[in-house]
Amino acid sequence: MLPEHPAFLWRNPEPRRRYDVVIVGGGGHGLATAYYLAARHGITDVAVLERGWLGGGNMGRNTTIIRSNYLWDESAAIYEHSLRLWEGLQEELDYDLLLSQRGVLNLAHNLHDVRESRRRVYANRLGGIDAEWLDPDGVKEVCPLVETRDDVRYPVLGATYQPRGGIAKHDHVAWAFARGADRLGVDIIQGCEVTGIAVRDGRVQGVETTRGRIEAGEVALAAAGHSSVLAEMAGLRLPIQSHPLQALVSELLEPVLPCVVMSNAVHVYVSQAHKGELVMGAGIDAHVSYGQRGGVHVIEHQLAAALELFPIFSRAHVLRTWAGIVDTTPDASPIVGATPVAGLWVNCGWGTGGFKATPGSGWVYAHTIATGAPHELNAPFSLERFRSGALIDEHGAAAVAH
Ligand SMILES: Cc1cc2nc3c(=O)[nH]c(=O)nc-3n(C[C@H](O)[C@H](O)[C@H](O)COP(=O)(O)OP(=O)(O)OC[C@H]3O[C@@H](n4cnc5c(N)ncnc54)[C@H](O)[C@@H]3O)c2cc1C
């Protein structure tokens, strides 16, 4: 019997000695995968193993930007699938995710930006994604606070605009998927670190954990920045580099920023949280690291960039800064699918932009694990592409843009 108390989120079970599927990582992607395995495929003999607490990784550290306006058909398709799932997710999970489709502006500051951005708008429209090109007056109309004078160092020459883009409350998303999965019978086990992956004759057998060995038919990695550490336990080397990515919030302000504003050239993105803080992020710290902190110079650069676009924010105080560890691939696109070890699956490489993919990623990953073959949406995002050369280069749309 499940408790009926409305504050009840999930059980806290002891790990069993065997599951059909063990998911490693209780971030958004692992939890969404568990939920869809149970809800869509009827696979409920599932454990999510999280070494810390749910949502304590990038899921609770990201700046919550959601959009689908990527350049290539493959990426636009998977992110748009995710955006459509977002649009029905509060009802499906019966949880207020504070999804706010307030629109996302990607500013262009030079001719190259303009060409690349317009190309992306045309590509998005061909793919059925809402995308508009705005001139500086149009930008001002959508977001009156953006500096659009033309005598500044990085004048705004225009912007792409995705009205259906926006933000959501990231920790609610983790809790909602966790509660949904738990109610369907999934064991969510916090404080359980995977320390080894058992492989025999090319097939995965289970995992070693700080709470004992757990046998599994399938082991699905969803460990974001620590994916390569885990893959190495099974003798695999992933094409992943893990970097700190920082963000910050200001003190609380009254609502002043009506949409999300991003700029690759100036190198910052800004939104305003429901509570009132300005939320800002920038590019990754250049060094590889597993320390969830970054260099102060990156924060300084980020604030300088923000003030280029929003001089009016110069009096706002920074409340706190933090970092998460993001898993970047050579083509700035994710990896979702099989590995050379039978029964071992990988979902990683979402880098700086995987929050928006949370439902879509879980949906296709669950399909892949349940059927033993990729869904058509994640088939292009195989590990194999780094051998075949069929890369999906999203540096333009992914880079600093989250
Ligand atoms: C500062 C910042 C800003 C970002 N902004 C955005 C944004 O605006 N929009 C966007 O779309 N994306 C953004 N992202 C990226 C997004 O957060 C990630 O791509 C996404 O959260 C990764 O998936 P996840 O939620 O499953 O990862 P995580 O929450 O990191 O989950 C992985 C989990 O695996 C666990 N784990 C690791 N090793 C082990 C082990 N050995 N055993 C058990 N568990 C283990 C970790 O503790 C962690 O909880 C941002 C990221 C950061 C850091």
Side-chain angles (χ1 to χ4, degrees):
M1 266 296 279
L2 294 177
E4 288 301 322
H5 191 278
F8 170 76
L9 285 174
W10 51 81
R11 295 164 296 129
N12 194 19
E14 278 302 309
R16 285 190 271 119
R17 291 301 111 208
R18 189 190 185 285
Y19 291 92
D20 287 346
V21 181
V22 160
I23 296 172
V24 185
H29 290 233
L31 294 167
T33 305
Y35 171 76
Y36 288 118
L37 271 173
R40 284 190 40 103
H41 302 281
I43 299 176
T44 55
D45 188 23
V46 177
V48 178
L49 307 183
E50 166 54 49
R51 68 176 182 166
W53 65 95
L54 291 194
N58 292 345
M59 188 60 180
R61 293 164 189 269
N62 66 71
T63 47
T64 79
I65 297 171
I66 295 170
R67 60 190 179 88
S68 63
N69 55 352
Y70 283 68
L71 175 64
W72 298 109
D73 290 350
E74 296 88 339
S75 332
I78 198 166
Y79 286 106
E80 176 63 14
H81 177 63
S82 194
L83 183 49
R84 292 199 177 156
L85 289 172
W86 276 113
E87 287 170 337
L89 205 56
Q90 309 196 107
E91 291 71 24
E92 171 157 3
L93 299 175
D94 189 22
Y95 206 114
D96 187 0
L97 306 176
L98 298 176
L99 175 69
S100 164
Q101 291 181 287
R102 57 182 66 182
V104 174
L105 286 172
N106 286 81
L107 304 179
H109 300 277
N110 53 53
L111 285 179
H112 172 77
D113 262 0
V114 171
R115 272 190 218 116
E116 190 278 330
S117 304
R118 295 183 73 136
R119 175 188 182 202
R120 194 139 54 84
V121 166
Y122 298 138
N124 288 160
R125 284 193 175 183
L126 284 172
I129 290 171
D130 57 322
E132 295 171 31
W133 170 253
L134 303 180
D135 63 14
D137 290 341
V139 172
K140 198 78 184 164
E141 210 167 292
V142 171
C143 190
L145 286 189
V146 177
E147 179 62 84
T148 51
R149 279 177 24 222
D150 60 7
D151 60 345
V152 293
R153 186 149 57 127
Y154 297 106
V156 172
L157 302 183
T160 66
Y161 182 50
Q162 184 173 26
R164 284 164 61 242
I167 59 171
K169 187 95 176 71
H170 46 14
D171 36 12
H172 286 205
V173 179
W175 301 335
F177 271 122
R179 187 180 71 172
D182 174 273
R183 284 184 173 170
L184 294 169
V186 170
D187 280 0
I188 293 167
I189 299 161
Q190 302 178 74
C192 182
E193 178 168 0
V194 170
T195 53
I197 297 179
V199 179
R200 199 172 58 222
D201 299 332
R203 183 161 228 303
V204 80
Q205 307 293 313
V207 291
E208 303 292 343
T209 82
T210 47
R211 292 168 73 174
R213 184 181 171 112
I214 301 174
E215 307 288 334
E218 317 286 328
V219 173
L221 305 183
H226 288 78
S227 298
S228 46
V229 179
L230 278 150
E232 211 174 320
M233 294 175 190
L236 300 177
R237 192 147 178 243
L238 294 179
I240 292 278
Q241 287 195 337
S242 294
H243 292 262
L245 175 67
Q246 299 187 77
L248 63 87
V249 288
S250 74
E251 60 202 333
L252 309 187
L253 305 178
E254 63 187 75
V256 287
L257 192 61
C259 60
V260 180
V261 181
M262 318 177 73
S263 165
N264 271 10
V266 173
H267 226 82
V268 75
Y269 56 92
V270 187
S271 67
Q272 188 168 18
H274 295 86
K275 212 163 72 176
E277 308 118 313
L278 297 172
V279 183
M280 297 187 199
I284 53 177
D285 277 52
H287 58 289
V288 290
S289 169
Y290 293 111
Q292 291 188 121
R293 58 188 177 276
V296 176
H297 65 285
V298 176
I299 299 286
E300 282 181 332
H301 180 78
Q302 173 181 338
L303 285 170
L307 296 187
E308 297 264 356
L309 299 177
F310 300 98
I312 197 169
F313 292 157
S314 64
R315 301 286 170 87
H317 295 105
V318 172
L319 205 62
R320 61 196 163 86
T321 74
W322 66 90
I325 304 304
V326 295
D327 39 334
T328 61
T329 59
D331 60 357
S333 286
I335 305 168
V336 187
T339 70
V341 176
L344 180 66
W345 308 92
V346 70
N347 176 354
C348 65
W350 295 93
T352 60
F355 173 68
K356 66 178 74 64
T358 305
S361 155
W363 202 92
V364 296
Y365 199 28
H367 174 103
T368 306
I369 298 160
T371 65
H375 187 274
E376 60 178 7
L377 287 172
N378 66 306
F381 296 98
S382 67
L383 188 54
E384 180 56 26
R385 77 178 185 276
F386 297 98
R387 199 187 306 273
S388 69
L391 302 181
I392 305 165
D393 187 346
E394 283 291 353
H395 279 100
V400 67
H402 297 263

